[in-house]
Protein backbone atom coordinates (compact mmCIF):
# COMPACT_ATOMS: atom_id res chain seq x y z
CA UNK A 1 0.00 0.00 0.00
CA UNK A 2 1.28 3.43 -0.83
CA UNK A 3 0.23 5.77 1.93
CA UNK A 4 1.72 8.64 3.87
CA UNK A 5 4.18 7.95 6.65
CA UNK A 6 1.59 8.79 9.29
CA UNK A 7 -0.76 6.03 8.15
CA UNK A 8 2.16 3.59 7.70
CA UNK A 9 3.02 4.20 11.35
CA UNK A 10 -0.60 3.66 12.31
CA UNK A 11 -0.68 0.40 10.40
CA UNK A 12 2.45 -0.80 12.24
CA UNK A 13 0.99 0.36 15.53
CA UNK A 14 -2.21 -1.63 15.06
CA UNK A 15 -0.43 -4.73 13.79
CA UNK A 16 1.71 -4.62 16.96
CA UNK A 17 -1.35 -4.14 19.16
CA UNK A 18 -3.06 -7.18 17.68
CA UNK A 19 0.19 -9.19 17.79
CA UNK A 20 0.88 -8.42 21.45
CA UNK A 21 -2.25 -9.71 23.18
CA UNK A 22 -5.08 -12.15 22.73
CA UNK A 23 -8.10 -10.42 21.16
CA UNK A 24 -10.12 -11.20 24.30
CA UNK A 25 -7.70 -9.07 26.33
CA UNK A 26 -8.05 -5.90 24.24
CA UNK A 27 -10.00 -3.13 25.98
CA UNK A 28 -12.62 -2.94 23.20
CA UNK A 29 -13.31 -6.70 23.14
CA UNK A 30 -16.94 -7.79 23.08
CA UNK A 31 -17.94 -11.44 23.21
CA UNK A 32 -21.21 -10.60 21.47
CA UNK A 33 -21.52 -7.18 19.77
CA UNK A 34 -25.11 -6.78 20.93
CA UNK A 35 -25.66 -3.07 20.35
CA UNK A 36 -24.14 -3.14 16.86
CA UNK A 37 -26.08 -6.24 15.93
CA UNK A 38 -29.37 -4.83 17.21
CA UNK A 39 -28.93 -1.62 15.23
CA UNK A 40 -27.85 -3.42 12.07
CA UNK A 41 -30.91 -5.69 12.33
CA UNK A 42 -33.09 -2.61 12.75
CA UNK A 43 -31.71 -0.62 9.82
CA UNK A 44 -30.36 -3.09 7.25
CA UNK A 45 -32.43 -4.32 4.40
CA UNK A 46 -32.73 -8.10 5.09
CA UNK A 47 -29.49 -9.75 3.97
CA UNK A 48 -28.41 -6.41 2.45
CA UNK A 49 -24.75 -5.39 2.15
CA UNK A 50 -22.99 -4.28 5.34
CA UNK A 51 -19.50 -2.83 5.70
CA UNK A 52 -17.72 -2.82 9.06
CA UNK A 53 -14.98 -0.20 8.82
CA UNK A 54 -12.09 -0.63 11.24
CA UNK A 55 -13.67 -3.96 12.11
CA UNK A 56 -10.40 -5.30 13.55
CA UNK A 57 -10.81 -8.74 15.10
CA UNK A 58 -14.41 -8.06 16.12
CA UNK A 59 -16.91 -10.91 16.29
CA UNK A 60 -19.47 -8.87 14.36
CA UNK A 61 -19.01 -10.80 11.08
CA UNK A 62 -19.61 -14.09 12.93
CA UNK A 63 -22.86 -12.70 14.35
CA UNK A 64 -23.95 -11.27 11.00
CA UNK A 65 -23.30 -14.55 9.20
CA UNK A 66 -25.28 -16.40 11.86
CA UNK A 67 -28.07 -13.89 11.34
CA UNK A 68 -28.32 -14.59 7.61
CA UNK A 69 -26.34 -11.63 6.28
CA UNK A 70 -24.43 -12.86 3.27
CA UNK A 71 -22.89 -9.67 1.89
CA UNK A 72 -20.38 -8.51 4.50
CA UNK A 73 -17.19 -6.52 4.05
CA UNK A 74 -14.72 -5.94 6.88
CA UNK A 75 -12.07 -3.30 6.32
CA UNK A 76 -9.15 -2.59 8.62
CA UNK A 77 -5.73 -1.02 8.55
CA UNK A 78 -4.30 -4.07 10.29
CA UNK A 79 -3.84 -7.32 8.35
CA UNK A 80 -2.97 -8.98 11.68
CA UNK A 81 -6.42 -8.10 13.04
CA UNK A 82 -8.23 -9.48 10.02
CA UNK A 83 -6.11 -12.67 10.17
CA UNK A 84 -7.41 -13.28 13.70
CA UNK A 85 -10.99 -13.10 12.47
CA UNK A 86 -10.27 -15.26 9.43
CA UNK A 87 -8.73 -17.99 11.63
CA UNK A 88 -11.59 -17.82 14.09
CA UNK A 89 -14.20 -18.14 11.34
CA UNK A 90 -12.41 -20.94 9.51
CA UNK A 91 -14.14 -21.95 6.25
CA UNK A 92 -16.91 -19.36 6.87
CA UNK A 93 -14.27 -16.64 6.37
CA UNK A 94 -14.63 -17.14 2.63
CA UNK A 95 -18.16 -15.71 2.90
CA UNK A 96 -16.79 -12.33 4.01
CA UNK A 97 -14.88 -9.79 1.93
CA UNK A 98 -11.73 -8.71 3.80
CA UNK A 99 -10.00 -5.46 2.89
CA UNK A 100 -6.71 -4.30 4.39
CA UNK A 101 -6.76 -0.55 3.98
CA UNK A 102 -7.19 2.92 5.36
CA UNK A 103 -10.85 3.90 5.65
CA UNK A 104 -10.02 7.52 4.77
CA UNK A 105 -8.70 6.42 1.37
CA UNK A 106 -10.93 3.48 0.55
CA UNK A 107 -12.68 3.23 -2.80
CA UNK A 108 -15.94 1.39 -2.04
CA UNK A 109 -16.64 -1.56 -4.30
CA UNK A 110 -20.45 -1.18 -4.21
CA UNK A 111 -23.25 0.78 -2.53
CA UNK A 112 -23.78 -0.48 1.04
CA UNK A 113 -27.03 -0.43 2.99
CA UNK A 114 -25.22 -0.16 6.33
CA UNK A 115 -21.89 1.40 7.29
CA UNK A 116 -20.79 0.28 10.76
CA UNK A 117 -17.96 1.85 12.75
CA UNK A 118 -17.25 1.00 16.34
CA UNK A 119 -14.40 3.01 17.80
CA UNK A 120 -12.62 4.06 14.61
CA UNK A 121 -13.74 7.58 13.61
CA UNK A 122 -12.69 8.86 17.02
CA UNK A 123 -9.04 8.06 16.20
CA UNK A 124 -9.12 10.57 13.33
CA UNK A 125 -7.86 13.73 14.97
CA UNK A 126 -7.07 15.81 11.87
CA UNK A 127 -9.89 17.66 10.08
CA UNK A 128 -8.53 16.44 6.73
CA UNK A 129 -8.74 12.76 7.77
CA UNK A 130 -12.21 13.34 9.20
CA UNK A 131 -13.36 15.00 5.95
CA UNK A 132 -11.90 12.16 3.90
CA UNK A 133 -13.69 9.60 6.08
CA UNK A 134 -16.99 11.44 5.63
CA UNK A 135 -16.46 11.56 1.86
CA UNK A 136 -15.75 7.81 1.71
CA UNK A 137 -18.79 7.08 3.87
CA UNK A 138 -20.97 9.11 1.52
CA UNK A 139 -19.66 7.23 -1.51
CA UNK A 140 -20.01 3.86 0.21
CA UNK A 141 -23.61 4.30 1.38
CA UNK A 142 -26.54 3.73 -0.94
CA UNK A 143 -29.15 6.52 -0.89
CA UNK A 144 -31.36 5.81 2.13
CA UNK A 145 -28.61 3.67 3.69
CA UNK A 146 -27.65 3.98 7.35
CA UNK A 147 -24.38 4.74 9.12
CA UNK A 148 -23.91 3.46 12.67
CA UNK A 149 -21.02 5.24 14.37
CA UNK A 150 -19.87 4.49 17.91
CA UNK A 151 -17.26 6.79 19.44
CA UNK A 152 -16.12 7.55 22.94
CA UNK A 153 -18.63 9.90 24.57
CA UNK A 154 -17.72 13.32 25.93
CA UNK A 155 -16.91 11.72 29.29
CA UNK A 156 -15.18 8.70 27.72
CA UNK A 157 -11.42 8.05 27.76
CA UNK A 158 -9.11 10.66 26.23
CA UNK A 159 -6.85 7.98 24.75
CA UNK A 160 -7.21 4.43 23.52
CA UNK A 161 -4.44 2.01 22.71
CA UNK A 162 -1.94 4.78 23.48
CA UNK A 163 -3.41 7.06 20.81
CA UNK A 164 -5.33 10.31 21.33
CA UNK A 165 -9.01 10.31 20.40
CA UNK A 166 -11.68 12.92 19.75
CA UNK A 167 -14.68 12.43 22.04
CA UNK A 168 -18.17 13.25 20.78
CA UNK A 169 -21.68 13.87 21.99
CA UNK A 170 -24.30 12.75 19.45
CA UNK A 171 -24.88 16.44 18.63
CA UNK A 172 -21.19 17.11 18.06
CA UNK A 173 -20.86 14.07 15.82
CA UNK A 174 -23.91 15.13 13.80
CA UNK A 175 -22.45 18.63 13.47
CA UNK A 176 -19.12 17.23 12.28
CA UNK A 177 -20.82 15.10 9.60
CA UNK A 178 -22.95 18.07 8.55
CA UNK A 179 -19.83 20.25 8.20
CA UNK A 180 -18.09 17.56 6.12
CA UNK A 181 -21.09 16.78 3.90
CA UNK A 182 -23.86 19.37 4.22
CA UNK A 183 -27.38 17.96 3.93
CA UNK A 184 -26.27 14.34 3.51
CA UNK A 185 -26.46 12.56 6.88
CA UNK A 186 -29.67 12.99 8.86
CA UNK A 187 -29.50 11.93 12.52
CA UNK A 188 -31.96 9.10 13.24
CA UNK A 189 -31.24 8.03 16.81
CA UNK A 190 -28.47 7.97 19.38
CA UNK A 191 -27.82 6.11 22.60
CA UNK A 192 -25.28 6.05 25.37
CA UNK A 193 -23.46 2.84 26.10
CA UNK A 194 -21.08 2.05 28.92
CA UNK A 195 -18.68 -0.65 27.81
CA UNK A 196 -17.07 -2.91 30.41
CA UNK A 197 -13.49 -3.72 29.43
CA UNK A 198 -12.00 -7.19 30.05
CA UNK A 199 -10.05 -5.63 32.96
CA UNK A 200 -13.30 -4.50 34.59
CA UNK A 201 -13.03 -0.78 33.79
CA UNK A 202 -15.80 1.20 32.10
CA UNK A 203 -15.74 3.37 28.98
CA UNK A 204 -18.61 5.66 27.95
CA UNK A 205 -19.60 5.54 24.28
CA UNK A 206 -22.20 7.32 22.20
CA UNK A 207 -23.70 5.28 19.38
CA UNK A 208 -25.39 7.32 16.65
CA UNK A 209 -27.34 6.30 13.57
CA UNK A 210 -27.53 8.52 10.48
CA UNK A 211 -29.50 8.08 7.28
CA UNK A 212 -28.05 9.13 3.93
CA UNK A 213 -30.81 11.52 2.97
CA UNK A 214 -29.52 13.47 -0.01
CA UNK A 215 -30.81 12.85 -3.51
CA UNK A 216 -28.80 10.17 -5.37
C1 LIG B 1 -10.50 0.16 19.01
S1 LIG B 1 -10.34 -0.88 17.62
C2 LIG B 1 -12.03 -1.35 17.30
C3 LIG B 1 -12.12 -2.60 16.45
C4 LIG B 1 -13.55 -3.06 16.16
N1 LIG B 1 -14.34 -2.03 15.51
C5 LIG B 1 -14.24 -3.56 17.39
O1 LIG B 1 -15.23 -2.97 17.81
O2 LIG B 1 -13.76 -4.58 17.94
C6 LIG B 1 -10.01 0.26 16.31
C7 LIG B 1 -9.74 -0.40 14.98
O3 LIG B 1 -9.64 0.58 13.96
C8 LIG B 1 -8.61 0.22 13.07
N2 LIG B 1 -8.20 1.46 12.39
C9 LIG B 1 -7.63 2.54 12.95
N3 LIG B 1 -7.45 3.51 12.03
C10 LIG B 1 -7.94 3.02 10.86
C11 LIG B 1 -8.03 3.54 9.55
N4 LIG B 1 -7.60 4.78 9.25
N5 LIG B 1 -8.58 2.76 8.59
C12 LIG B 1 -9.02 1.51 8.88
N6 LIG B 1 -8.95 0.97 10.12
C13 LIG B 1 -8.41 1.72 11.09
C14 LIG B 1 -7.58 -0.44 13.94
O4 LIG B 1 -6.70 -1.28 13.23
C15 LIG B 1 -8.45 -1.21 14.92
O5 LIG B 1 -8.74 -2.50 14.46
Amino acid sequence: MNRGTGMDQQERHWDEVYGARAPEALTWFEEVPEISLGLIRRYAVPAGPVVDVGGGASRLPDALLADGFGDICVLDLSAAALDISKSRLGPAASRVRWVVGDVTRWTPDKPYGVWHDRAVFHFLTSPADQDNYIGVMRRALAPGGHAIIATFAEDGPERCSNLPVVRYSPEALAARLEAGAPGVFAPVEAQRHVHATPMGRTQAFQVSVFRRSDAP
Side-chain angles (χ1 to χ4, degrees), residues 71-177:
D71 191 342
I72 304 162
C73 175
V74 181
L75 174 143
D76 201 281
L77 210 45
S78 166
L82 298 185
D83 284 345
I84 293 169
S85 285
K86 289 183 203 171
S87 307
R88 187 183 64 244
L89 279 160
S94 64
R95 294 160 57 201
V96 175
R97 180 170 139 79
W98 306 96
V99 178
V100 178
D102 171 5
V103 63
T104 67
R105 294 171 179 234
W106 184 44
T107 303
D109 56 312
K110 66 169 75 165
Y112 284 86
V114 170
W115 168 283
H116 174 265
D117 165 344
R118 176 172 177 265
V120 184
F121 184 69
H122 66 199
F123 285 110
L124 303 179
T125 54
S126 89
D129 282 344
Q130 294 165 357
D131 280 337
N132 289 337
Y133 175 106
I134 295 166
V136 172
M137 181 166 74
R138 179 187 194 165
R139 289 192 289 283
L141 264 184
H146 290 85
I148 299 164
I149 305 180
T151 67
F152 282 155
E154 282 175 305
D155 58 340
E158 291 177 9
R159 300 177 72 81
C160 176
S161 188
N162 256 342
L163 297 173
V165 302
V166 181
R167 299 176 294 175
Y168 293 90
S169 64
E171 295 76 19
L173 180 61
R176 184 63 190 90
L177 298 191

Side-chain angles (χ1 to χ4, degrees), residues 26-44:
L26 298 169
T27 50
W28 53 93
F29 174 73
E30 288 182 304
E31 182 86 42
V32 181
E34 277 174 17
I35 292 186
S36 301
L37 194 55
L39 290 171
I40 293 171
R41 282 182 184 142
R42 191 176 308 165
Y43 292 105

